[in-house]
Amino acid sequence: MNRIKIIFVLSLVLAFASCSKDDYRLDSGPVDPFVRFNFVVNGNNVPIEYPTVNTITLPTNTFENKSVKVLKVPVSLTTAALKSQVKVNFSATTSGDSNSFSVSPKSELLFEGNKLTDTVFVSFDKRWTNQQTITLKLESASDPAIHIGNINTYAPNDTFTITLGEITTAYTFPVGQYLIKGEVGEKIDFKVNFPNGFIPSEIENASIFKFLDGFDYSLTHDDFGDNRSSINYHLTLLEYIQNPDVRYETKLTLTNTPNYVATGNTVLQIIKPTRSPRDVNANPASKFYDLSSQFYLTYGETWFDKSGTCAWQAYNAFTFPVVVTKDNENAILYSDKGTANPNDDVYHDAFKIGFNVVTGTSTTNSFNLKRWFSNEAVAAASSPGFNITSALEFFPENGNSKTQGKVLVIPQYITIAGTNKNSHNIEIAGEGTYKEISAGLFEISFELKLTNDALFGGTVSTQYRMYNNKTYPKPAALSIDCPKEVAL
């Protein structure tokens, strides 16, 4: 195998020649100064990036890289605060094509004052041959008093080897739906995320979208730059679509290409919804969330098959408001954060709620969907559809009732995957009513429809009841059929 070696050498800075190791002694004890690679991974073998600090896990001197995102390799100088700048030279060696990657900075790292960590950025410009290696090596310091590598023999960390493994690249929409007002020139900014990065030359002329257009618009994107984790797109409306009685919708669907697989949310909806006059002071959404309790749940019942018999089956889900900007027509002030500054005010949509986890990468049980399937993958990366952040919309009776009205399951596509990696886009819709059935206790009664030809052979539906309190009357049994669990 042809080996190409690029070694960068910088002559020592004479101004440091008179320095001694005593100039670098730590206040905590007599530790000689040394510089080494400080690349640390977590339990899932994911790099922990500076400035995040992990003092428990030891640095590694090798890493198998399966991503085309920029790889950040930190280099740390162990010493007291520096009185003068220190420069450290490094080299890069590859066992394969030297044009498949680049490093920044080219050869020289800089440490000064309390800045005792610098970073080598390794960028990938084209796909590589599996098991190609890139080896970084610390060569010299501008002051000979600084030791290259740890002051030990078992883990010097003066070299760092990157093994380039098999690449799997994919893309997804982090948000599946945007609403527009319908004004000419209105702009929607959205992202396409690349969990394992992307190579610009592969994306620049690729047809990654399939379009189903319901109105005229233009579509542009930002320059790729150094960010290889996402691309920012800008959709600009070119026509006036403000008829309040008409729903307009455009869909962008991510397609599979030879190098990139569409995963997670693969459909983006841009919607101008129908509109009806509503008084935000009715604020029905506020009956179904409580942000003072991080464990706040709503409680529901689903008419579903239970061992061959239709029955009400209970569930719950973490429920949250939909946060909007002040200029949203449905915005109602939730909190001014105790300040006179209007820029930190928090507004909620008075008529919408959604379901999500409090924190982390797991999922809640929106609409009891986890009961609909077996073999489901519950991580948000695989099944983002279990977290429906804008799920129900309320329409108060007469536009201002505080006790009852109609409810709409916001039409959208959700993505659910199995543990076998099979992923499915499912269209959801439905409608019903809501009512205060006793003091402070609200019941939502609605039908949920799920559409997917492969899973259901078309559209299936069932009845739901949802409550804002865990104590509620058990719904009466229904005399209708019910769905059965489906294997993903």
Side-chain angles (χ1 to χ4, degrees), residues 177-190 214-218 234-244 246-251 268-275 327-330 352:
Q177 186 180 103
Y178 288 92
L179 301 182
I180 58 175
K181 298 176 182 178
E183 301 171 348
V184 174
E186 187 176 356
K187 181 180 289 187
I188 292 292
D189 300 321
F190 66 91
F215 49 81
D216 291 334
Y217 61 90
S218 64
H234 312 286
L235 183 148
T236 303
L237 190 62
L238 299 179
E239 66 172 309
Y240 182 89
I241 51 170
Q242 287 197 303
N243 186 331
V246 178
R247 184 178 190 269
Y248 296 85
E249 178 178 350
T250 281
K251 295 179 185 175
L268 175 65
Q269 297 172 285
I270 310 294
I271 298 170
K272 198 291 292 182
T274 57
R275 289 189 171 89
D327 61 350
N328 186 291
E329 63 182 359
N330 297 328
K352 293 179 183 178

Side-chain angles (χ1 to χ4, degrees), residues 220-356:
T220 60
H221 64 75
D222 290 348
D223 293 338
F224 296 142
D226 295 327
N227 177 20
R228 303 292 175 83
S229 297
S230 64
I231 299 175
N232 296 315
Y233 284 85
H234 312 286
L235 183 148
T236 303
L237 190 62
L238 299 179
E239 66 172 309
Y240 182 89
I241 51 170
Q242 287 197 303
N243 186 331
D245 300 321
V246 178
R247 184 178 190 269
Y248 296 85
E249 178 178 350
T250 281
K251 295 179 185 175
L252 280 67
T253 303
L254 289 171
T255 62
N256 292 323
T257 70
N259 289 321
Y260 296 85
V261 176
T263 186
N265 286 326
T266 61
V267 179
L268 175 65
Q269 297 172 285
I270 310 294
I271 298 170
K272 198 291 292 182
T274 57
R275 289 189 171 89
S276 60
R278 288 176 289 182
D279 182 357
V280 296
N281 292 306
N283 199 11
S286 66
K287 308 299 182 182
F288 297 92
Y289 63 82
D290 181 2
L291 295 186
S292 67
S293 170
Q294 65 173 327
F295 302 112
Y296 180 82
L297 300 163
T298 51
Y299 301 83
E301 299 273 350
T302 311
W303 187 247
F304 208 79
D305 183 88
K306 186 175 183 179
S307 302
T309 303
C310 292
W312 287 109
Q313 299 199 43
Y315 75 99
N316 55 60
F318 290 108
T319 310
F320 292 91
V322 175
V323 178
V324 295
T325 56
K326 180 180 181 179
D327 61 350
N328 186 291
E329 63 182 359
N330 297 328
I332 189 167
L333 180 64
Y334 171 72
S335 172
D336 63 5
K337 293 190 175 180
T339 73
N341 181 4
N343 294 327
D344 64 1
D345 292 350
V346 178
Y347 288 84
H348 291 165
D349 192 307
F351 306 109
K352 293 179 183 178
I353 58 171
F355 311 104
N356 206 348

